[in-house]
Amino acid sequence: MHRRDLLRLIAVGGLAAATGCGARKPAVSATSLADLDCIGQHDLIVSGALSKEASITSAFERIDAVNDQLNAVITRDDERAIVHARTATGALAGVPYLLKDLNAYRDMRMTMGSALFRNHVPDSQSPYTDRIDASGLVVLGKTNTPEFGLLPTTSPVLHGPTRNPWNVKHTPGGSSGGSAAAVASRMVPAAQASDGGGSIRIPAALCGLFGLKPSVGRFPDQGYANRAWPISIKHAITRSVRDSALILALTENTDGGPLLPVGFVTPERRKRLKIAISTDTHLGPADPNIVDAVVEVGKTLQRMGHEIEPVSDTPHHDPAFDRHISTLWGHGVFGILQQVEADSGTTAENTGLLEPATITLARRFSQLPPDALQTALDYFQVFQRGTDDFFANYDAWLTPVTSAVAPEIGFMDPSLDFDTLTERVTQFARFTAIHNVAGTPAMSIPAGKSDDGLPIGVQIAASVGAEALLLQLAYQLEEATPWADALPPVHA
């Protein structure tokens, strides 16, 4: 569907009918608004049953109701959001939204989960964020994230841990854990997230939500020029597939770039696909509950008519990958450590401005051979070509998102012994980062619960630029095994 067709449908209030999955009955109470996705709320606004201002005030009421239990939202601006709502235009005008605290929003505090930026208020924002504003989504505030988004959990020293709505003793994942907890608990229907190693997919999986990591180059300003390798990309965590598809269409690059625009993807039966399936890496298999979920999704796809082929030799089986990705992440924070020490005239440890894990990661990088970063970048080029070759034989690839369900808060705490922390993170988050290096799109699909009642997500990836294929598969799975109505114990 072209953008002009999308806007025409919205203008006549026909978007819910056109998208099919997830359509809901109009309602205006705060309780029933919590059950609606972005498109469902906007349909009410278009119909006149809900004002844009009421949409926003209701969302703040939901935040008030559950945020003390979850610590998902760490900055908010009620007055600014309501003023914005009154004049908002665009395809999702008046729908409440939250930004992850790694994304700059003009004149709103942005800490990046670090004491170093505790009082930082940017005076500008990126063209990507401009597109969020232009979509009509109304930014209510910022969600919690680990320091600089480095960990697959959300427990920054500055703000404290965010808790999983399914069990508050457990993490919602990271680094977009605040966004995932906010969406799962019904504070907002969707929230902005970013992914540099799994940070959209992991919290989506741990909170029973949908999370798509787009292809590298999908957006106009992901800061690639300032990075040694373009691994991180922004998008959203949502409850419905159609919300993710629409937000992607409203924010993607349509003015020329390395990829053709996806547009707004709607449900459509695709041809029979050849889908690889694997449940292990060079570190061994995922936990039994995770493996069972992946196998069950594979069976569901097979019943739909797709060809499922088990594979044992995949890009996940290269033990060198972990070393080189650690080098890249270390390079990313080494410059921060140098600046802190130059500005303060003392060691970073003495300033209290950086967390222990961040400092150690940077110092470990400084101890590597001078050519370590270039060696990693050379390796990534070869790895990227190898991943492209893998997808030349398959339309998609089904795997776990994480090796286990959500661990308890503290299991990956930034104050742990660094080697212990590194081992736990590497084991837990070993299925996602390869798609950041390769630039391939990958998504987390809800796939039931563990024996302990914690959500499980499975990952489906495809070749660069194939977001439409993934979204079509997501629509099919959403229809076959609906997940959007599942309520966690902590919800608004």
Side-chain angles (χ1 to χ4, degrees), residues 112-293:
M112 293 184 278
S114 177
L116 178 63
F117 293 100
R118 145 190 336 267
N119 298 314
H120 175 57
V121 179
D123 58 6
S124 63
Q125 61 191 41
S126 69
Y128 174 83
T129 310
D130 290 341
R131 291 186 180 213
I132 291 175
D133 281 340
S135 76
L137 288 165
V138 177
V139 174
L140 311 186
K142 294 290 194 71
T143 59
N144 204 7
T145 185
E147 185 167 63
F148 307 128
L150 289 172
L151 293 174
T153 186
T154 301
S155 296
V157 173
L158 178 63
H159 299 300
T162 296
R163 300 181 179 277
N164 193 318
W166 290 94
N167 186 327
V168 295
K169 294 181 180 179
H170 292 251
T171 179
S175 62
S176 308
S179 290
V183 175
S185 64
R186 308 303 199 260
M187 296 183 196
V188 288
Q192 186 264 323
S194 59
D195 193 316
S199 291
I200 289 175
R201 291 157 287 160
I202 290 172
L206 270 52
C207 292
L209 301 168
F210 180 70
L212 171 69
K213 181 202 83 69
S215 300
V216 64
R218 178 57 64 197
F219 300 106
D221 66 313
Q222 292 290 316
Y224 298 140
N226 299 321
R227 295 173 183 160
W229 191 266
I231 61 170
S232 185
I233 192 163
K234 301 180 180 75
H235 187 39
I237 290 177
T238 64
R239 286 170 51 219
S240 69
V241 176
R242 66 180 189 170
D243 275 359
S244 184
L246 179 55
I247 293 170
L248 180 68
L250 294 171
T251 53
E252 69 174 331
N253 189 359
T254 58
D255 302 322
L259 300 173
L260 291 174
V262 178
F264 181 50
V265 178
T266 57
E268 176 183 321
R269 181 61 59 182
R270 296 186 64 93
K271 65 178 182 179
R272 185 172 187 254
L273 301 177
K274 184 178 181 181
I275 302 174
I277 180 173
S278 62
T279 57
D280 63 356
T281 71
H282 68 279
L283 296 173
D287 288 358
N289 276 172
I290 305 293
V291 171
D292 289 346

Side-chain angles (χ1 to χ4, degrees), residues 102 205 261 370 476:
L102 295 183
Q476 293 173 35

Side-chain angles (χ1 to χ4, degrees), residues 30 33 41 53-66 73 76 78 94-98 138 140 186-189 492:
L33 275 179
Q41 290 200 29
E53 184 174 341
S55 170
I56 301 310
T57 57
S58 176
F60 279 123
E61 290 171 3
R62 296 194 298 273
I63 293 172
D64 288 336
V66 295
V73 180
R76 53 190 278 183
D78 300 34
V95 175
Y97 201 59
L98 288 163
V138 177
L140 311 186
R186 308 303 199 260
M187 296 183 196
V188 288

Side-chain angles (χ1 to χ4, degrees), residues 44 69 83 103 112 130 148 195 206 210 234 275 326 337 350 354 410 425 492:
L44 287 184
Q69 300 174 68
V83 169
N103 192 16
M112 293 184 278
D130 290 341
F148 307 128
D195 193 316
L206 270 52
F210 180 70
K234 301 180 180 75
I275 302 174
S326 179
L337 180 139
N350 288 336
L354 297 176
V425 168

Side-chain angles (χ1 to χ4, degrees), residues 386-395 463:
T387 305
D388 290 342
D389 290 342
F390 179 85
F391 279 115
N393 298 310
Y394 301 100
D395 296 301
S463 59

